[in-house]
Amino acid sequence: MRKQLDTVISPKSKLTKPITKPKATWVEPKFFADVEYRDITSEGLLRASSFKGLFRDDKS
């Protein structure tokens, strides 16, 4: 997964809501993540999430 993400590294975040994360590496939104989760918290975070796979969007 790291090799795939290294091909789309971005110098800054594309998020509209700022996140403070030391040593974060931002990437262009070229992939879709398949994730299952039980709920979304009041802060908008996924609860009991499980990563299922990463897929590239070749249309963009």
Side-chain angles (χ1 to χ4, degrees):
M1 181 179 354
R2 181 63 198 212
K3 286 181 183 181
Q4 289 178 297
L5 292 174
D6 281 344
T7 66
V8 292
I9 290 177
S10 174
K12 62 181 184 170
S13 169
K14 302 289 183 183
L15 301 176
T16 56
K17 184 176 179 181
I19 295 177
T20 304
K21 177 70 177 162
K23 298 184 181 181
T25 300
W26 300 105
V27 296
E28 294 291 333
K30 302 286 184 183
F31 292 89
F32 293 98
D34 185 10
V35 178
E36 289 182 4
Y37 59 93
R38 283 190 191 250
D39 200 5
I40 300 177
T41 68
S42 60
E43 294 85 22
L45 303 174
L46 300 181
R47 178 171 293 156
S49 59
S50 176
F51 176 74
K52 300 299 180 181
L54 188 68
F55 306 94
R56 186 170 180 123
D57 177 15
D58 292 322
K59 296 175 189 169
S60 56

